[in-house]
Amino acid sequence: MALLPIISLPDPRLRLVSEPVAEIDAQVRRLMEDMLETMYDAPGIGLAAIQVAVPRRILVIDIAKPEDGPKPICVVNPEIVWASDVLSVYEEGCLSIPEYYEEVERPDRVRVRYLDKDGKTQELEADGLLATALQHEIDHLNGVLFIDHISRLKRERVMRKFTKVARRTATEV
Ligand code: ZN
């Protein structure tokens, strides 16, 4: 297994729409293992392949508390097949937008159909934090970031901040 570099704002690749996975082969499984290791190391509760610069519809999630041990979920080609009308608000963050947190309103429950790491179709109904994490990560596969769900004023402020940081880092090297 290997740690993969996580790309961050304003990297334009975060806006790519990821491609579906045609076959879950050894290479895809290896990528999912590396993504899990990268996510645990960060640490984070979810990671989409595009965040490690791979534009494919793959994500990993683990919302288990550390004391309960790892409970990873590997998700390929996910599709939200149902979402509740009831919404709930969570404070979200993103490994590609480090140290920025903001409240986001999303459907409280979702049903997601996907392929697991063995290529079997699975359906998962989630609420609470898992529902939020799934929607956040599936957004990544469509080039959407959680800051797209907040006010334009706040989004422009965070974009400016990260663009400035990127420019400063570029001139330092
Ligand atoms: Zn994210």
Side-chain angles (χ1 to χ4, degrees):
M1 295 215 283
L3 288 180
L4 306 168
I6 297 175
I7 62 174
S8 59
L9 215 62
D11 194 310
R13 288 172 293 182
L14 290 168
R15 294 305 189 178
L16 290 175
V17 175
S18 295
E19 293 290 330
V21 175
E23 193 197 346
I24 299 172
D25 53 15
Q27 193 199 353
V28 169
R29 276 192 286 270
R30 167 77 198 267
L31 173 65
M32 291 193 287
E33 279 172 23
D34 289 346
M35 284 170 61
L36 277 170
E37 193 184 356
T38 303
M39 179 187 81
Y40 290 131
D41 179 73
I45 60 165
L47 188 70
I50 190 58
Q51 293 180 274
V52 292
V54 179
R56 303 181 76 184
R57 301 186 84 80
I58 300 168
L59 52 96
V60 294
I61 288 179
D62 190 342
I63 59 151
K65 294 193 186 85
E67 59 266 32
D68 295 334
K71 290 190 174 56
I73 307 173
C74 294
V75 173
V76 176
N77 298 346
E79 220 186 305
I80 295 175
V81 292
W82 173 82
S84 65
D85 294 330
V86 177
L87 306 176
S88 65
V89 174
Y90 266 92
E91 188 176 71
E92 296 189 25
C94 180
L95 293 176
S96 296
I97 312 174
E99 286 163 41
Y100 182 77
Y101 304 92
E102 194 54 68
E103 287 188 336
V104 177
E105 191 177 49
R106 300 182 186 269
D108 178 61
R109 297 182 76 90
V110 288
R111 198 179 308 132
V112 177
R113 191 178 299 146
Y114 64 97
L115 299 175
D116 66 16
K117 60 184 190 322
D118 301 312
K120 282 204 199 90
T121 302
Q122 302 282 353
E123 219 169 87
L124 173 68
E125 190 163 321
D127 62 2
L129 181 57
L130 182 56
T132 291
L134 280 163
Q135 293 173 81
H136 177 120
E137 299 309 329
I138 291 170
D139 268 356
H140 273 300
L141 307 183
N142 297 318
V144 175
L145 300 170
F146 85 91
I147 54 170
D148 299 336
H149 297 287
I150 64 178
S151 75
R152 201 178 78 180
L153 192 72
K154 284 179 180 166
R155 181 166 59 253
E156 283 172 354
R157 204 181 296 145
V158 65
M159 282 302 299
R160 256 199 314 275
K161 183 178 148 208
F162 278 86
T163 307
K164 234 183 266 171
V165 169
R167 217 179 287 138
R168 206 179 307 138
T169 314
T171 49
E172 272 167 9
V173 289

